[in-house]
Amino acid sequence: MLKTTTTATFLCFVLATVVLMNPTSSTATYSPTSSASTDTFILAKCSPEKFSPGSAYETNLNSLLSSLVSSTVASRYNNLTVPSGTGTKSEPAVVYGLFQCSVDLDATSCSSCVSRATALVGNTCPNSYSVFLEMQSCLVRFDKSSFFGVQDKTEMLKKCGQPMGNNDQDALTRVSDVMGSLSSGSGSDRSGGNGDVRGMAQCMGDLSPAQCQDCLTDAIGRLSSDCGMSQGGYVYLSKCYARFSYGGSHARQTPNSNFAGGDKDDKNNDGIGKTLAIIIGIITLVILLVVFLAFLGKQLRKLQDEKCCK
């Protein structure tokens, strides 16, 4: 009886030690990095509605994503509809989707970015009917309902850098000039610069010129009012975006190195959390070891007493 109890206690002790010394998270997330790579992940919005694995929608979605990647050879923007399959009201089959790359990307870089985006869909938004996935320099979006040509200025993401300070008037003037050049520009792809401040704005190719102007006016206005005194910032709306970097090498560089609470802080917080988890694990390990030894000593004394009494 003693041998069985001691063994069971020891196994529980080992199991608890392994769990405590190997903390994990049940949620997998992606974060922007300070890299200026064109295929750096920015954000993803996934619908809570899910399609059934093996359904016609899944088959059509796979075909759509593959076709989007293929079409990057000829264009930086394309929208497609894959209507194969009958589907039902509760289980639709038609998929509407598009991709768009920044105007400064060549065909190879655009293809690489879109390929990376489509590859992330399955892990980031598994079985979601609707996905909005933004990369550093491209976007992939699909839905079970058509969204082509529909204006949508929903704010998907906004982030401002660290304040520059009121005493840096030259930098503030350059940022203001760049915001002004983006606002007064024409077309769906705009860029501007003044010294070491670079800006870029773009709307989706499915919008009309009037819709595009309306969306960019909104995005640039939010960027200017909320981040105009910062060392960089970006505003992503559903159908357009505007961003600028101060001291960056390129407008499409996400200025996380200048961001308060950005990737650097996230990494620091992750490191602190892991260190704290390890310390707690070690303390718990010591406590369990003391309890185990006390228990073992008690059992040995009990065994000795039983032998003496025989």
Side-chain angles (χ1 to χ4, degrees):
M1 180 69 180
L2 171 61
K3 183 176 180 180
T4 302
T5 304
T6 304
T7 301
T9 305
F10 179 73
L11 290 175
C12 291
F13 164 75
V14 171
L15 179 60
T17 301
V18 170
V19 171
L20 289 168
M21 293 301 289
N22 187 31
T24 59
S25 171
S26 60
T27 303
T29 59
Y30 297 91
S31 300
T33 68
S34 58
S35 169
S37 172
T38 59
D39 58 0
T40 298
F41 177 89
I42 298 295
L43 72 102
K45 298 290 184 179
C46 319
S47 69
E49 292 182 283
K50 306 288 185 179
F51 58 80
S52 302
S55 64
Y57 192 87
E58 181 178 43
T59 300
N60 290 341
L61 174 59
N62 291 335
S63 177
L64 172 81
L65 295 178
S66 177
S67 296
L68 290 179
V69 174
S70 299
S71 61
T72 58
V73 177
S75 174
R76 294 185 182 88
Y77 165 83
N78 195 19
N79 66 69
L80 298 170
T81 302
V82 181
S84 301
T86 55
T88 63
K89 186 176 181 179
S90 60
E91 190 78 58
V94 180
V95 189
Y96 304 86
L98 60 76
F99 81 89
Q100 180 157 312
C101 292
S102 297
V103 69
D104 60 326
L105 290 191
D106 56 35
T108 300
S109 298
C110 179
S111 180
S112 174
C113 187
V114 174
S115 295
R116 171 69 173 157
T118 56
L120 287 175
V121 167
N123 290 330
T124 309
C125 304
N127 300 341
S128 288
Y129 271 119
S130 174
V131 172
F132 178 103
L133 199 148
E134 183 80 49
M135 307 294 285
Q136 184 76 18
S137 292
C138 71
L139 163 79
V140 168
R141 182 178 180 181
F142 63 83
D143 203 324
K144 64 180 180 178
S145 301
S146 177
F147 54 90
F148 303 149
V150 178
Q151 178 66 289
D152 186 354
K153 296 185 287 185
T154 302
E155 187 174 290
M156 309 299 282
L157 178 67
K158 178 178 65 180
K159 201 166 188 180
C160 301
Q162 296 176 352
M164 286 189 287
N166 293 324
N167 58 338
D168 196 350
Q169 289 299 321
D170 288 341
L172 291 173
T173 298
R174 291 194 296 274
V175 171
S176 179
D177 288 345
V178 170
M179 293 296 103
S181 68
L182 294 178
S183 296
S184 60
S186 60
S188 60
D189 301 294
R190 305 177 187 181
S191 62
N194 187 339
D196 50 5
V197 179
R198 297 288 183 270
M200 178 180 286
Q202 185 182 42
C203 53
M204 283 191 190
D206 64 309
L207 294 184
S208 68
Q211 289 175 319
C212 178
Q213 180 61 47
D214 179 42
C215 190
L216 288 181
T217 297
D218 197 330
I220 296 168
R222 297 190 201 193
L223 182 65
S224 180
S225 62
D226 296 344
C227 305
M229 299 183 69
S230 303
Q231 298 180 26
Y234 49 73
V235 172
Y236 286 95
L237 306 184
S238 289
K239 285 298 183 82
C240 67
Y241 71 83
R243 59 191 180 204
F244 77 96
S245 61
Y246 171 73
S249 60
H250 202 284
R252 62 179 164 81
Q253 179 177 354
T254 305
N256 289 305
S257 58
N258 296 323
F259 276 16
D263 185 63
K264 183 177 180 181
D265 290 337
D266 291 339
K267 290 180 179 178
N268 290 338
N269 291 336
D270 288 344
I272 293 172
K274 291 178 180 178
T275 301
L276 182 61
I278 291 174
I279 293 174
I280 294 174
I282 292 174
I283 294 174
T284 306
L285 172 62
V286 172
I287 294 173
L288 288 173
L289 182 60
V290 171
V291 171
F292 175 74
L293 292 176
F295 172 81
L296 185 61
K298 182 179 179 180
Q299 294 298 321
L300 290 174
R301 287 193 298 272
K302 182 178 179 181
L303 181 61
Q304 290 176 350
D305 293 338
E306 290 175 354
K307 289 182 177 179
C308 291
C309 296
K310 288 182 179 179

